[in-house]
Amino acid sequence: LQNDVDEFFEKELLFIPMDELVAKINLQGLRGPEFDVEKPDNVYRIIAVGGSTTFGSGVEDGFSWPALLEESLNDLETSKRIEVLNAGIPSATSLQNMNQINQKLINFSPDLIISYQGANDMGCMLPYFDNENTEWDNNSMLQFCGDYELDKYPELLAERFSTICTTGFEKNFDVIIILQPNVELKSKILTNQELESYFDRPQQRIMLEDYELMKEYAVLNSKECNSVNDFTGIFDEYDIPLYFDYHHTGNLGNQIISEHIRDLTTPVL
């Protein structure tokens, strides 16, 4: 029995380092195969936005959650072919995703936008700091988070979500907002690899506390959205390795995420 316990904690999740990842980028700058910019009549178009966890850092093209979602939705009996475009941008925050939607993605005639957010916004309530691992100064904050008072960021996040959802209402597409999971001590049983990733990031505990405030406010105060969903507990019942760092998941984690998103998406189709 002790050997089984030791074996569990020592399991490591393999992933593809970013400098070795060969991702297919289409002519529109999105990860995945080419698509018709002018949406065909027989296509229901979903666009997935977010950061590197949407893009699929660490995994091959077919194992990002948007790719897995497209595959599972097309197994359903629907009147149209389901297309899921992966518009994830590594390191993107809600600010950059909102601008991406307004400036580019609405031109692709989406029927549904799924915004998978949180990990990159977690740092937006941190004060300026500079250490051997990170430089977080005024310019970084303006670029990634915007101009605001630190303790008002949960309100700003809800405003951004509401802006995206209002745009959807005006442009005739649905919007699902998802606040993503991260490695937490109170969540699933963590392997040594997952636990080390938590402690490798000195600010992780504080960022998670800030994220809790963001989630609570955004879920209650984001307007005009089809739904706003807290996914932070979706892995709690799993005693298997799922993360390869403090918030990126491997193939199996992305599969679980895609199944939960499929359940949210199906009633909207």
Side-chain angles (χ1 to χ4, degrees):
L1 181 59
Q2 183 61 44
N3 288 339
D4 292 339
V5 172
D6 291 342
E7 183 180 346
F8 165 75
F9 284 110
E10 291 171 4
K11 286 182 179 178
E12 291 201 2
L13 199 63
L14 300 178
F15 64 97
I16 306 171
M18 280 301 291
D19 59 353
E20 298 178 16
L21 180 65
V22 180
K24 179 177 177 57
I25 306 298
N26 59 41
L27 291 175
Q28 305 306 320
L30 310 184
R31 185 175 189 180
E34 302 298 336
F35 65 95
D36 294 325
V37 173
E38 185 172 342
K39 184 179 62 179
D41 292 339
N42 68 332
V43 167
Y44 183 92
R45 177 167 288 169
I46 300 171
I47 303 181
V49 302
S52 54
T53 51
T54 296
F55 178 83
S57 293
V59 300
E60 296 177 349
D61 290 339
F63 290 98
S64 68
W65 71 254
L68 294 166
L69 177 65
E70 179 179 89
E71 182 180 354
S72 65
L73 289 176
N74 278 304
D75 286 339
L76 305 175
E77 294 184 5
T78 58
S79 59
K80 293 186 176 183
R81 177 173 63 85
I82 309 298
E83 183 179 70
V84 182
L85 306 182
N86 185 343
I89 302 174
S91 299
T93 61
S94 60
L95 172 62
Q96 292 155 320
N97 288 146
M98 179 180 68
N99 293 334
Q100 177 195 25
I101 291 168
N102 291 332
Q103 296 168 10
K104 179 177 182 177
L105 300 181
I106 58 173
N107 297 321
F108 299 150
S109 304
D111 296 292
L112 169 65
I113 285 182
I114 301 173
S115 182
Y116 187 77
Q117 300 285 348
N120 295 327
D121 285 85
M122 285 168 54
C124 291
M125 289 179 69
L126 290 176
Y128 306 146
F129 66 92
D130 185 2
N131 59 35
E132 62 182 17
N133 300 312
T134 308
E135 181 179 336
W136 185 243
D137 56 18
N138 185 53
N139 290 333
S140 300
M141 186 171 287
L142 286 172
Q143 177 185 354
F144 288 100
C145 304
D147 187 9
Y148 58 95
E149 298 177 31
L150 286 181
D151 61 348
K152 300 294 185 183
Y153 195 78
E155 297 175 28
L156 182 59
L157 186 63
E159 288 175 10
R160 286 183 188 148
F161 290 162
S162 298
T163 297
I164 294 169
C165 295
T166 299
T167 300
F169 181 79
E170 294 170 349
K171 301 292 185 180
N172 197 33
F173 60 83
D174 290 308
V175 178
I176 292 175
I177 304 289
I178 298 169
L179 293 152
Q180 67 183 86
N182 298 274
V183 170
E184 300 184 57
L185 297 182
K186 66 178 184 179
S187 60
K188 68 182 289 293
I189 298 174
L190 301 177
T191 63
N192 290 341
Q193 180 186 28
E194 293 169 330
L195 196 60
E196 287 170 6
S197 73
Y198 177 94
F199 288 107
D200 278 346
R201 200 183 199 194
Q203 68 271 34
Q204 181 76 353
R205 180 183 61 82
I206 296 172
M207 292 171 70
L208 288 170
E209 291 174 359
D210 290 340
Y211 189 40
E212 199 66 31
L213 298 175
M214 295 181 204
K215 287 188 304 170
E216 291 176 0
Y217 194 91
V219 168
L220 292 175
N221 295 282
S222 301
K223 309 299 182 185
E224 303 293 344
C225 305
N226 184 275
S227 63
V228 182
N229 307 272
D230 180 357
F231 267 28
T232 54
I234 64 170
F235 298 143
D236 286 0
E237 302 303 317
Y238 291 88
D239 59 354
I240 50 179
L242 294 173
Y243 296 98
F244 61 81
D245 67 14
Y246 42 82
H247 58 234
H248 292 100
T249 50
N251 294 353
L252 181 55
N254 288 340
Q255 179 68 50
I256 296 167
I257 291 166
S258 73
E259 290 170 358
H260 282 264
I261 297 177
R262 178 200 60 204
D263 293 342
L264 290 176
T265 303
T266 303
V268 181
L269 298 179

